[in-house]
Amino acid sequence: MTKMSCGITPLRITMLAGTVTESVVSTPFQCAALRNKFQLFHSHSGLQQHDHKVHNYCTECDRGFRNWTNLQQHLNSELHRPTAIMCPGRKCNRSFISPTALTLHFESGACRSGMTREKLNRLIVRADKNSYITNPAQLIGGPQGKYEPPLSAPAWATKRSWNGMEYECFLCHSTFKTLDRLNQHLQSPRHDQKIYRCPKPDCRVEFVTLSALCQHVERGSCGVRMFRQVQNAMQGLTRGFKTISI
């Protein structure tokens, strides 16, 4: 098998020391960032891993990134991940790359099925009978041990929110340049109860929205993604509203 070095095109543009450096090389290909030192790989996947880890570089797109986080966001985008998760909502034919993206779709109210963040919260709380990912202390207790999420009381700011310099949120004292932005802030889940929590016993980080919990799981920073029950729950999100099982 022909060995490949760090680079896949004769003309390689590499981010080096904060500047764009053009390097014209001949086969076998050479990484400009290695300053004319050859590094060969037995497979294309090895070359890709090297570019990702060492150079924050996407081999397929021939594009460099300032840091590892930006590269990861690029690799997790629709450019590299198939939109294989179909929305189970009625009349909706959209598809997404991850459970987080699907959940954000529900919470935004953009789904043609009429699903909203409030409806999704009720669905999840009712399905999570063992309080695996929901926090009973932040829920409203009902008959027969059933729980419901707290209702979000709509709040609207007026011109009286002007503090002489900017519009100020009376709940958290954040300031905004326009009244519209302040009201967008008040209609967001920013001040809602943190009804979700990581199911890992030594983590238990709390979240306001299901999408934030899904993102936490997908990142795998605390290792919760390895739990079989969590994997089943995440997969359940893709099968339809009535089949979510925690």
Side-chain angles (χ1 to χ4, degrees):
M1 180 181 296
T2 302
K3 294 184 178 180
M4 300 180 68
S5 66
C6 184
I8 60 170
T9 58
L11 177 62
R12 168 118 185 209
I13 299 176
T14 304
M15 297 297 294
L16 180 62
T19 63
V20 178
T21 303
E22 250 185 32
S23 175
V24 180
V25 297
S26 58
T27 305
F29 302 118
Q30 179 180 353
C31 175
L34 292 179
R35 298 183 183 276
N36 299 323
K37 293 181 181 180
F38 284 99
Q39 185 168 352
L40 304 179
F41 300 90
H42 291 283
S43 66
H44 185 248
S45 62
L47 168 63
Q48 289 176 319
Q49 292 177 12
H50 167 80
D51 277 349
H52 292 171
K53 294 180 179 179
V54 178
H55 304 303
N56 297 323
Y57 194 89
C58 177
T59 312
E60 297 86 341
C61 299
D62 198 21
R63 180 181 174 186
F65 294 85
R66 291 184 179 275
N67 53 53
W68 173 254
T69 300
N70 290 351
L71 172 62
Q72 286 301 301
Q73 291 176 348
H74 169 75
L75 294 176
N76 288 326
S77 70
E78 294 183 8
L79 292 172
H80 289 278
R81 296 181 62 183
T83 54
I85 300 178
M86 298 297 300
C87 176
R90 293 181 180 179
K91 302 179 181 179
C92 187
N93 58 1
R94 295 189 60 184
S95 58
F96 302 90
I97 62 176
S98 67
T100 294
L102 173 62
T103 307
L104 284 169
H105 168 67
F106 290 154
E107 294 176 344
S108 69
C111 184
R112 296 181 64 183
S113 67
M115 180 60 69
T116 63
R117 186 174 71 248
E118 291 76 14
K119 291 179 181 179
L120 182 63
N121 286 343
R122 287 197 298 271
L123 175 67
I124 297 298
V125 168
R126 291 172 182 175
D128 188 20
K129 295 180 174 59
N130 295 321
S131 299
Y132 190 65
I133 62 171
T134 55
N135 185 359
Q138 302 289 355
L139 302 175
I140 300 175
Q144 300 178 348
K146 296 182 179 180
Y147 291 95
E148 292 289 333
L151 297 176
S152 299
W156 294 92
T158 67
K159 293 182 179 179
R160 292 184 178 182
S161 301
W162 181 257
N163 63 9
M165 298 180 64
E166 292 182 300
Y167 292 95
E168 183 175 341
C169 175
F170 64 91
L171 295 173
C172 66
H173 305 295
S174 297
T175 56
F176 303 86
K177 294 187 180 297
T178 67
L179 183 59
D180 286 341
R181 292 201 173 178
L182 172 55
N183 277 315
Q184 289 175 5
H185 166 77
L186 290 172
Q187 302 312 307
S188 74
R190 171 67 186 274
H191 298 298
D192 290 352
Q193 297 291 331
K194 294 182 178 180
I195 64 174
Y196 298 103
R197 64 184 179 186
C198 176
K200 192 176 181 185
D202 60 350
C203 181
R204 289 301 194 189
V205 175
E206 297 181 337
F207 304 92
V208 172
T209 62
L210 179 63
S211 59
L213 172 59
C214 288
Q215 194 171 46
H216 173 76
V217 172
E218 288 178 4
R219 286 176 177 171
S221 56
C222 73
V224 69
R225 192 174 183 176
M226 303 301 295
F227 285 32
R228 171 60 61 182
Q229 199 168 2
V230 172
Q231 294 175 4
N232 292 340
M234 295 292 285
Q235 292 172 1
L237 286 171
T238 68
R239 300 192 200 106
F241 305 143
K242 294 182 180 180
T243 59
I244 296 177
S245 59
I246 304 299

